[in-house]
Amino acid sequence: SKGGSGKNGEEEDTSTPDLLALYKSYCKQAEIFICKCIETQINLLLEEGGNLNELLINEYIGEEGCIEFARALKTINYKHLQSIRIWEGQIGNQGVIRAFYNFISEYKVNSIQLIELINCGFGVLGCEFLSRLLNPLSSYQIKILTLDHNNIGDEGFSFIANALRFNTVLTQLSLNYCGISNNSLEDLKIIFENDSKIERFSIQGNRIENKTISRFLSFLSDRSDTMLEELNLCNTYCGSNDEFINAWLNCINNNTTIHTYNMRFNTISTLEFKAMLKVLADQKSKKDDHIFSIQLD
């Protein structure tokens, strides 16, 4: 809603205090608790004369609380939000769908560039709706997507991957500890098959294993036209395997856009380590300095 006149006779924007008042009212009507971090965050912004551009919920809010907050956002058609971060919120599939997906899609909110939902208790259904926000036919401008510690599995990952097939907006994707398995090769490839703009890709903590990781690295070895710069394969159950080391070393040699590899918490052997050092030494002799960092245990 709008208040009185501001500078130069313009209508004063009271949407941020209105948002807090409406959210608290909805919580009381629904007889649920008011999320303290939302109240504190908005009150601090109001003291500074600012608006809620970056939402951070770093405590339990639950499905109902999330829906009521999104209901307040929708009621006043809130225009200022640019990023959504929820950590340990346990909002579930319905929190993802009935709260933020509905708000973004119903009001065509194109200002949101970052969505980070960590350990929020959603799965395949939540991914299906999030994938709609990544569809290249939509006009959404989401550049960073983090879905760590949610049990989305291969099916949920497939929804995300297929939505990214022709997406040219997303630059960072993190799917750490999401229950993705060694059946995910085709979906891993789909993400980078076309004009992907992803620069940072992380699938740490998923049991993808040597065969799938090797074939994914071989695929990337032949795709030096990608924008990918940082690849996190930490704790993906790879190493101590000829197919893997050959694929990885070929990727280090042939894909000159990837400059950072995280291979920690895998079973990289002494022989594999020595082979990697030889490749790096050869690159140095050729004055090839595209590798910035390789992280190993």
Side-chain angles (χ1 to χ4, degrees), residues 193-204:
E193 270 181 345
N194 295 297
D195 296 323
S196 170
K197 295 297 185 290
I198 293 178
E199 299 171 1
R200 297 180 182 178
F201 181 50
S202 181
I203 48 172
Q204 175 174 335

Side-chain angles (χ1 to χ4, degrees), residues 270-288:
T270 302
L271 289 175
E272 291 170 336
F273 178 66
K274 289 179 177 178
M276 181 201 68
L277 290 181
K278 184 179 185 305
V279 167
L280 295 179
D282 290 343
Q283 288 182 351
K284 184 177 180 181
S285 68
K286 298 172 186 174
K287 297 186 177 178
D288 176 358

Side-chain angles (χ1 to χ4, degrees), residues 39-242:
E39 185 175 20
T40 302
Q41 193 174 170
I42 294 179
N43 280 330
L44 285 172
L45 289 167
L46 292 176
E47 288 176 10
E48 299 167 357
N51 294 303
L52 184 63
N53 299 322
E54 301 178 0
L55 172 67
L56 171 61
I57 300 173
N58 57 358
E59 63 186 27
Y60 176 82
I61 183 173
E63 179 183 302
E64 287 186 79
C66 189
I67 290 170
E68 294 302 338
F69 180 69
R71 182 182 167 201
L73 289 170
K74 289 187 284 186
T75 301
I76 60 177
N77 192 9
Y78 196 71
K79 301 288 189 182
H80 302 290
L81 205 56
Q82 296 175 15
S83 73
I84 297 170
R85 284 188 169 98
I86 306 179
W87 305 340
E88 312 285 341
Q90 292 303 308
I91 64 175
N93 286 316
Q94 293 305 313
V96 172
I97 298 165
R98 293 174 58 197
F100 296 113
Y101 171 77
N102 282 354
F103 168 61
I104 294 169
S105 62
E106 186 175 343
Y107 291 95
K108 305 298 181 188
V109 180
N110 297 324
S111 58
I112 294 176
Q113 299 183 21
L114 182 152
I115 296 178
E116 186 174 275
L117 306 174
I118 298 177
N119 196 20
C120 283
F122 67 90
V124 175
L125 188 60
C127 284
E128 180 181 352
F129 279 81
L130 286 171
S131 71
R132 299 179 188 182
L133 302 178
L134 302 171
N135 190 303
L137 297 178
S138 70
S139 57
Y140 304 116
Q141 298 298 308
I142 298 166
K143 295 181 178 178
I144 300 173
L145 180 65
T146 301
L147 304 179
D148 300 351
H149 296 278
N150 292 289
N151 190 26
I152 69 174
D154 292 333
E155 190 177 353
F157 176 45
S158 189
F159 277 114
I160 299 296
N162 278 280
L164 292 173
R165 186 188 292 265
F166 297 103
N167 182 294
T168 58
V169 177
L170 197 76
T171 61
Q172 295 183 38
L173 176 61
S174 182
L175 298 164
N176 298 337
Y177 299 95
C178 284
I180 300 168
S181 81
N182 56 10
N183 297 316
S184 59
L185 176 62
E186 293 308 313
D187 290 319
L188 287 167
K189 289 162 64 176
I190 279 172
I191 295 174
F192 298 96
E193 270 181 345
N194 295 297
D195 296 323
S196 170
K197 295 297 185 290
I198 293 178
E199 299 171 1
R200 297 180 182 178
F201 181 50
S202 181
I203 48 172
Q204 175 174 335
N206 293 288
R207 195 175 188 115
I208 300 175
E209 301 179 350
N210 279 313
K211 184 176 180 180
T212 300
I213 289 291
S214 300
R215 295 182 181 183
F216 178 49
L217 288 169
S218 293
F219 168 78
L220 290 176
S221 178
D222 296 330
R223 295 303 304 261
S224 57
D225 57 334
T226 69
M227 305 291 286
L228 186 61
E229 297 179 356
E230 298 183 20
L231 180 60
N232 182 1
L233 298 176
C234 173
N235 194 21
T236 51
Y237 296 81
C238 61
S240 299
N241 177 274
D242 290 341

